[in-house]
């Protein structure tokens, strides 16, 4: 809720603003490039290489203290810090928006400690760090999508023992997750999981896609971009290499269905994008708008140009 | 008192466990599971002391003995849940290939446990998911072996509730709303739904009222005959062994002191400990 409010406050200001900007005046000389020291970045890159080699498998890493509290995307920030170079262009989104407090502060942080260019345009970014969404604009080869992950273990609500979940992964024994989906259908008539909907990666590992809406799950399947996941508090990294098969768990007679509100965006008219419900006044007025601000702005600009 | 002895599935009774060097072949068939020289001690306590046994397809073998005699330990070693200090357990798969239970990896053993084998625990709480509906409990093994059609899983679960004499209207109910006897029957349904070849049962009627026990034993007997199951049945209860088992083993302090066809052991016990056991049941 607070995210939506923050967004409506800052969003208006940012809507007409610039899409691209350069870091203040090159990186702040007081920090190593990317804030982390070179040894730490190498350690994280080694974990990333292993994660890419075993798609969907959680790799432990020595998570560092960051100048932000856990819950603010410290896992994603460390991954971004480990892979970012001076020629990269960074985009940061939170719930699809570039202009929320969280996204703005992470973008400023990287501008300051790397001096790289930042952008709000999905197509122009080489690295996109995200919390809770995958951009609507299809990603292309060469791009990297970095997810902030609060809880990397997809089985943790079902099986509290870490030893046991590790064993389940080792043996690809995921019947417990199917039992959970079965119970969903018993109770609700359908699979009532709309966020963090579990996926099988490369036909082998069960993976948490992080708390993105189930609507975004199909975008992970055979995505041309590299997908990296960082969980700071839980000290885990995992990855989905480009073009990898990512399937949402389901039943033959209850197939996975990505759901979105049955409405058009009030700002750009999109009937394809994922929508947020926004409170417009204090008398209960509401409207649906795209959660992906860049997608929505781009469509609005195109519409204005056509008029 | 007359007992209706179970008909032995093999025309030539197999040799009693531990007898016959080249044993294992009887009437042309091979044992499903064969154990040799199993030993395991807990500190100074010999929980298992040089135990050998075999079980043939379609056979029910009862393991009886007083508390602490090593019955549960034996079942856990035979099913690969515990590793013995000495001895070996061989399992023959449907293709006829023999596998060493303690030599195969954990993954292969788990596969065996969720496909070819079943385990029924004394306490249904150890064998059920209490927070999952009856249908989900029965469906789990189906899903573990690849079933992905919700409607078919439900139909199978519903059918199994009927087979264990639970009203299929309880399909979506949680097992914690079931009586102890119903929970145990649900555990049996959950275990048998994938048609395992070999089922390990550790005191399946323990902790239940006597009248409920009798009904459950009848149910198990019917299912065993219908499905042609092989069962290793651990029990305190001589009457249960008499009702269900083709053969029995009598254990004491980790050793098998007597074994043979159930009627022979119970009607003509050779070992003095067996004589004591049988006498105490008759006296009770
Ligand atoms: N984990 C353990 N640690 C130490 N001793 C054990 C352990 N498990 C079993 N024992 C001992 O091994 C012996 C055999 O135990 P087991 O549980 O196999 O007996 P049981 O025949 O199943 O008895 P019951 O009829 O009471 O279930 C007993 O003396 C028991 O105390
Ligand atoms: Mg016991
Ligand atoms: Zn829009």
């Amino acid at each position: 809720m607070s995210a939506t409010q923050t967004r409506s406050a800052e969003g208006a200001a940012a809507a007409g603003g610039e899409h691209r900007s350069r870091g203040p005046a090159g990186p702040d000389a007081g920090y190593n490039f990317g804030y982390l020291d070179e040894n730490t970045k190498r350690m994280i890159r080694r974990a990333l290489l292993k994660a890419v080699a075993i798609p969907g498998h959680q790799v432990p890493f020595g998570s560092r203290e960051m100048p932000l509290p856990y819950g603010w995307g410290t896992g994603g920030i460390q991954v971004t810090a480990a892979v970012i170079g001076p020629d990269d262009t960074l985009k940061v989104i939170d719930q699809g928006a570039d202009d929320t407090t969280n996204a703005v502060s992470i973008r400023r942080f990287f501008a300051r400690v790397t001096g790289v260019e930042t952008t709000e345009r999905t197509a122009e970014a080489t690295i996109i760090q995200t919390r809770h969404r995958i951009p609507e604009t299809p990603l292309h080869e060469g791009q990297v999508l970095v997810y902030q992950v609060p809880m990397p273990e997809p089985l943790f609500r079902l099986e509290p023992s870490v030893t046991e979940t590790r064993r389940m992964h080792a043996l690809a024994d995921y019947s417990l997750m199917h039992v959970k989906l079965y119970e969903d259908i018993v109770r609700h008539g359908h699979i009532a999981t709309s966020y963090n909907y579990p996926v099988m990666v490369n036909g082998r590992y069960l993976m948490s896609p992080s708390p993105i809406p189930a609507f975004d799950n199909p975008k992970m399947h055979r995505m041309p971009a590299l997908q990296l996941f960082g969980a700071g508090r839980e000290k885990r990294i995992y990855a989905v290499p480009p073009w990898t098969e990512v399937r949402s768990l389901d039943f033959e007679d209850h197939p996975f269905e990505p759901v979105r509100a049955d409405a058009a965006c009030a700002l750009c008219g999109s009937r394809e994008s994922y929508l947020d419900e926004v409170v417009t006044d204090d008398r209960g007025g509401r409207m649906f708008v795209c959660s992906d601000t860049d997608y929505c702005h781009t469509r609005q600009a195109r519409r204005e140009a056509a008029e | 008192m007359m007992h209706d002895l179970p008909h032995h599935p093999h025309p030539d009774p197999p040799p009693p466990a531990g007898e016959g060097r080249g044993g294992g072949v009887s009437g042309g068939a091979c044992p499903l599971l064969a154990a040799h020289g199993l030993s395991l001690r807990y500190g100074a306590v010999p929980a298992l002391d040089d135990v050998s046994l075999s079980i043939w397809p379609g056979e029910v073998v009862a393991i009886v003995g007083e508390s602490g005699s090593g019955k549960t330990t034996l079942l856990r070693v035979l099913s690969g849940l515990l590793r013995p200090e000495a001895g070996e357990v061989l399992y023959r798969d449907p293709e006829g290939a023999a596998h060493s239970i303690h030599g195969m990896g954990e993954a292969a053993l788990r596969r065996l446990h969720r496909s070819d084998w079943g385990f029924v625990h004394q306490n249904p709480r150890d064998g059920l998911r209490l927070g999952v509906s009856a249908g989900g409990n029965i469906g789990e093994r189906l899903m573990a072996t690849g079933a992905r059609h919700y409607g078919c899983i439900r139909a199978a679960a519903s059918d199994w509730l009927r087979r264990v004499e639970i009203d299929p209207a309880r399909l979506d109910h949680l097992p914690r709303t079931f009586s102890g006897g119903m929970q145990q029957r649900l555990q049996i349904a959950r275990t048998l739904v994938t048609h395992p070849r070999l089922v390990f049962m550790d005191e399946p009627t323990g902790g239940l009222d006597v009248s409920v026990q009798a009904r459950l034993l009848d149910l198990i007997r019917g299912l065993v005959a219908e499905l042609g199951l092989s069962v290793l049945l651990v029990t305190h209860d001589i009457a249960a062994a008499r009702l269900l088992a083709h053969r029995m083993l009598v254990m004491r302090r980790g050793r098998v002191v007597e074994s043979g066809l159930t009627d022979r052991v119970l009607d003509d016990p050779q070992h003095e400990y067996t004589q004591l056991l049988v006498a105490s049941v008759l006296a009770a």
Side-chain angles (χ1 to χ4, degrees), chain A residues 137-244:
Chain A
T137 308
L139 300 187
H140 53 78
E141 258 183 74
Q143 288 182 305
V144 180
L145 184 58
V146 178
Y147 297 76
Q148 300 170 197
V149 180
M151 169 39 76
E153 179 47 68
L155 294 160
F156 101 105
R157 275 183 201 287
L158 306 174
E159 175 53 66
S161 156
V162 175
T163 318
E164 186 55 25
T165 54
R166 206 169 289 161
R167 187 178 290 138
M168 288 172 172
H169 285 296
L171 305 176
D173 182 358
Y174 298 129
S175 47
L176 194 54
M177 186 54 90
H178 279 282
V179 170
K180 195 257 170 202
L181 299 181
Y182 172 95
E183 293 290 296
D184 258 14
I185 303 175
V186 167
R187 288 194 196 130
H188 311 283
H190 60 98
I191 298 174
T193 304
S194 51
Y195 284 88
N196 212 342
Y197 190 109
V199 293
M200 280 299 286
V201 177
N202 208 23
R204 174 58 183 83
Y205 282 97
L206 182 71
M207 188 186 92
S208 159
S210 86
I212 58 172
F215 174 84
D216 281 343
N217 275 20
K219 296 177 184 149
M220 306 181 89
H221 178 58
R222 296 185 50 79
M223 183 190 277
L226 170 63
Q227 302 175 74
L228 304 176
F229 300 77
R233 192 189 33 187
E234 301 295 325
K235 302 179 171 48
R236 290 287 184 281
I237 278 171
Y238 51 100
V240 176
W243 307 109
T244 303

Side-chain angles (χ1 to χ4, degrees), chain B residues 12-284:
Chain B
D12 297 327
E19 286 178 19
R21 199 56 39 93
V25 179
S26 169
C30 295
L32 197 56
L33 193 80
H36 297 281
L38 300 177
S39 293
L40 179 64
R41 33 179 73 249
Y42 290 110
V45 179
L48 292 180
D49 185 1
D50 194 24
V51 173
S52 300
L53 72 86
S54 298
I55 178 166
W56 272 260
E59 200 182 26
V60 178
V61 174
I63 300 163
V64 302
E66 66 193 358
S67 184
S69 58
K71 305 181 298 293
T72 294
T73 304
L74 177 57
L75 214 56
R76 290 175 59 78
V77 168
L78 290 173
S79 59
L81 300 176
L82 257 185
R83 184 172 287 279
E85 285 157 0
E88 188 183 35
V89 181
L90 291 176
Y91 169 69
R92 202 170 292 274
D93 70 21
E95 281 73 49
H99 304 271
S100 164
I101 292 305
H102 299 279
M104 70 174 65
E106 199 192 347
L109 186 64
R110 272 223 175 181
R111 257 196 304 281
L112 210 51
H113 266 276
R114 67 191 190 191
S115 56
D116 287 21
W117 292 2
F119 206 112
V120 176
H121 300 263
Q122 170 171 355
N123 188 340
R125 276 149 210 281
D126 297 332
L128 292 176
R129 295 192 188 280
L130 295 180
V132 167
S133 69
N137 266 286
I138 299 175
E140 180 170 356
R141 271 173 76 103
L142 292 173
M143 293 184 248
T145 47
R148 293 291 178 268
H149 192 284
Y150 176 80
C152 293
I153 293 164
R154 275 180 88 68
S158 193
D159 182 48
W160 267 97
L161 281 184
R162 205 165 20 241
R163 291 173 86 162
V164 297
E165 296 164 14
I166 296 174
D167 183 355
R170 309 286 308 255
L171 187 62
D172 296 337
H173 294 197
L174 293 180
R176 59 168 81 91
T177 65
F178 289 13
S179 69
M182 283 168 75
Q183 287 184 357
Q184 200 54 297
R185 278 178 276 138
L186 179 61
Q187 192 192 178
I188 289 168
R190 165 183 162 88
T191 307
L192 298 188
V193 65
T194 50
H195 295 273
R197 305 168 73 210
L198 175 61
V199 181
F200 302 89
M201 296 188 181
D202 194 354
E203 310 258 14
T205 60
L208 297 174
D209 293 346
V210 177
S211 62
V212 177
Q213 279 188 18
R215 189 167 156 215
L216 187 59
L217 287 174
D218 265 347
L219 179 81
I220 293 174
R221 187 159 78 146
L223 289 171
V224 163
E226 192 185 326
L227 302 172
L229 295 175
S230 304
V231 179
L232 271 162
L233 171 76
V234 161
T235 181
H236 272 96
D237 182 358
I238 301 283
R242 168 86 86 176
L243 184 71
L244 290 174
H246 303 109
R247 279 194 300 128
M248 61 187 287
L249 275 71
V250 182
M251 289 191 72
R252 189 188 193 198
R253 294 186 192 139
R255 293 190 72 91
V256 176
V257 294
E258 183 158 2
S259 67
L261 294 174
T262 305
D263 54 351
R264 204 282 294 150
V265 173
L266 293 182
D267 296 340
D268 183 20
Q270 302 296 301
H271 194 277
E272 58 181 306
Y273 176 70
T274 317
Q275 290 166 2
L276 212 67
L277 264 184
V278 175
S280 66
V281 171
L282 292 179

